[in-house]
Amino acid sequence: MIIQQVVLNSRPGKNGVPVAENFRLEQSTIPDTVREGQVRVRTLYLSVDPYMRCRMNEDTGSDYLLPWQLSEVADGGGVGVVEESKHNNLVKGDFVTYFSWPWQTVAILDGSLLQKVAPQLVNGRLSYFLGAAGLTGLTALLGIREKGHVTAGANQTMVVSGAAGACGSLAGQIGRLEGCSRVVGIAGTDEKCSILVSEMGFDAAINYKKGNVAQQLRELCPDGVDVYFDNVGGDISDTVISQMNQNSHIILCGQISQYNKDVPYPPPLPPDTEKIQKERNITRERFLVLNYMDKQEASVLQLCQWIQEGKLKVRETVVEGLANIGAAFQSMMNGGNIGKQIVSVSK
C-alpha cells in the first residue's frame, strides 16, 4: 500500500529556530496485510506540540524523550480509525489514539499500544483527544492538582504564562474550576488577551509586548500571586516570581522561551530570582504528567464532563493536510496560534 509520510529533513541546531523545511514529505509503502495483534489505522488528526522542539536535537536533554532521527518518520500524539484489525480488543471502525503515532496517512501498529476513544465523550470532536481531553488537558489538570495546591475558598490568585496556548488556555479555566478566586493570563497579542477574558473566563490578561508587565501584575494581582502555571520561563517568569507570596507554588509545565537555547531543563533561575524563591519558600518542582498515568482515566472523564457541560472552552488551530505539518510546527513555535495546534490528515 502506498502512503505519505513526514520525515525529519534537517536539524535546526540547539540554538536555531525551527522552520517548515526541517521536515520533508515523502511517499512510502506499508504491507498490504496485518499480522496477529496488529491493526491498520487511517490517520485522522496529528498533534503538534512545543515539547517536540527538543526531539529535533540529537540530544533531547530529557531522559523520557527520544530524538527524531534524520530521514526517519516523525511521531507524536495522533487519532485515527481502525481499517483492519487482528487484535482481539479492536474492530474495524473503532477510533483510537496513541502518544507515538507516526506522521503518515496510514500505519500498521501494535493494537496493544492503542487506546480506544469514544467520540460522544467530546461531542464528536475527535481532535479533542489530542488536546483538552488528551495529554494537554491532563497536563493542565494534573499539574494544578499535583503541584498547584489549590484550595477552594482560600482566595488564591493564579497567573498563567503562555496563557493563550494549548495548555495555558485550559490551565486558567481549570484553576478557576478547582477553586482559584482570581485568574490572570499573560499572552503576546491584544487579540489573545481579549479571547482569554471574553471566552475563557480569565479575570484579566496582560499583553507582555505592551507596557510594564511588573506594574500591570501589581495592579491586577493586588494580593500577590499564590499559584503560577509556568509555560514560558525567562524574563516573564522572573517577573511573576518576584510578586509571588510566601509558601506559594510554581507549576513548572514548560519553558518555551528557552527551547531554542542550549540550556539544561529546567533552566536555572537567575540568582536574584532564586533568592526570592528560597526566601519565600516557593515550590518549583519539575512536573511530568507521564508520572501520573494511574490518574489518567478519572482525569480524562473529568475533562470530558467539563467539555460536555460547557465549563471548559476549547480553541483549536487546525491545519489541513499532512504536507503542511512542518509549517504548522513553525507557526506554533513562533507563537502564532490560539489554543491547540492540530493537523487534519484525512476525513
Side-chain angles (χ1 to χ4, degrees):
M1 178 182 292
I2 298 173
I3 64 165
Q4 287 187 315
Q5 61 185 24
V6 171
V7 304
L8 184 66
N9 185 51
S10 59
R11 300 189 190 278
K14 280 207 167 186
N15 300 306
V17 177
V19 294
E21 291 72 26
N22 291 134
F23 300 95
R24 182 175 76 244
L25 183 69
E26 292 184 342
Q27 188 169 284
S28 186
T29 60
I30 60 171
D32 290 327
T33 58
V34 300
R35 297 196 304 268
E36 199 65 33
Q38 293 182 327
V39 295
R40 188 178 77 242
V41 291
R42 178 163 50 89
T43 306
L44 298 177
Y45 298 100
L46 294 170
S47 176
V48 179
D49 301 285
Y51 81 85
M52 293 175 172
R53 173 62 184 87
C54 304
R55 301 193 67 189
M56 300 180 81
N57 299 333
E58 290 183 75
D59 177 9
T60 65
S62 167
D63 54 4
Y64 69 94
L65 286 178
L66 294 175
W68 285 327
Q69 299 300 321
L70 289 172
S71 296
E72 292 193 5
V73 181
D75 66 288
V79 168
V81 60
V82 174
E83 292 191 325
E84 182 181 353
S85 175
K86 288 190 177 178
H87 187 276
N88 292 337
N89 296 330
L90 296 170
V91 299
K92 183 179 179 179
D94 280 346
F95 295 104
V96 290
T97 185
Y98 179 38
F99 182 66
S100 299
W101 196 288
W103 287 7
Q104 55 193 56
T105 49
V106 180
I108 293 176
L109 300 173
D110 180 346
S112 65
L113 299 175
L114 305 177
Q115 181 179 357
K116 198 185 311 187
V117 292
Q120 63 269 25
L121 290 178
V122 287
N123 301 326
R125 299 292 295 272
L126 282 167
S127 56
Y128 283 11
F129 286 114
L130 300 178
L135 205 59
T136 309
L138 285 172
T139 300
L141 176 58
L142 291 172
I144 288 168
R145 286 184 172 177
E146 300 297 329
K147 299 295 184 183
H149 302 277
V150 173
T151 304
N155 200 34
Q156 291 166 298
T157 294
M158 172 186 278
V159 171
V160 183
S161 59
C167 197
S169 60
L170 299 172
Q173 298 179 74
I174 291 170
R176 170 84 74 200
L177 290 166
E178 290 290 285
C180 285
S181 59
R182 186 164 183 78
V183 179
V184 175
I186 302 174
T189 69
D190 288 344
E191 180 194 10
K192 290 178 179 179
C193 290
S194 175
I195 288 170
L196 290 174
V197 175
S198 63
E199 288 187 19
M200 298 182 173
F202 284 64
D203 292 284
I206 296 169
N207 181 348
Y208 69 87
K209 295 180 180 178
K210 286 185 175 181
N212 185 308
V213 174
Q215 180 181 333
Q216 292 179 77
L217 268 176
R218 281 191 291 270
E219 293 171 355
L220 294 172
C221 307
D223 297 322
V225 178
D226 301 293
V227 184
Y228 173 38
F229 199 100
D230 185 6
N231 286 304
V232 303
D235 293 341
I236 294 294
S237 290
D238 295 339
T239 301
V240 176
I241 292 169
S242 72
Q243 299 190 33
M244 294 188 73
N245 293 325
Q246 194 75 24
N247 302 320
S248 54
H249 305 282
I250 298 169
I251 302 165
L252 192 58
C253 179
Q255 302 281 275
I256 196 169
S257 73
Q258 310 296 303
Y259 286 171
N260 294 328
K261 300 176 182 178
D262 186 8
V263 296
Y265 187 85
L269 296 171
D272 289 349
T273 306
E274 186 177 19
K275 183 180 178 184
I276 291 171
Q277 182 208 347
K278 289 181 177 177
E279 288 178 348
R280 298 182 191 171
N281 193 34
I282 301 170
T283 63
R284 183 182 184 257
E285 301 164 346
R286 185 172 184 175
F287 171 73
L288 179 59
V289 70
L290 297 177
N291 291 338
Y292 300 94
M293 285 298 96
D294 59 314
K295 301 181 179 181
Q296 176 187 8
E297 186 175 352
S299 298
V300 167
L301 290 175
Q302 174 65 85
L303 291 164
C304 290
Q305 181 182 334
W306 283 335
I307 291 169
Q308 290 174 335
E309 293 172 349
K311 293 179 179 177
L312 198 59
K313 308 295 184 183
V314 183
R315 272 272 188 154
E316 291 181 324
T317 302
V318 180
V319 173
E320 298 288 340
L322 185 62
N324 295 315
I325 200 166
F329 188 87
Q330 179 179 345
S331 175
M332 177 203 61
M333 290 303 297
N334 289 337
N337 308 318
I338 298 174
K340 180 74 177 179
Q341 177 73 74
I342 296 288
V343 174
S344 174
V345 178
S346 60
K347 296 295 186 185

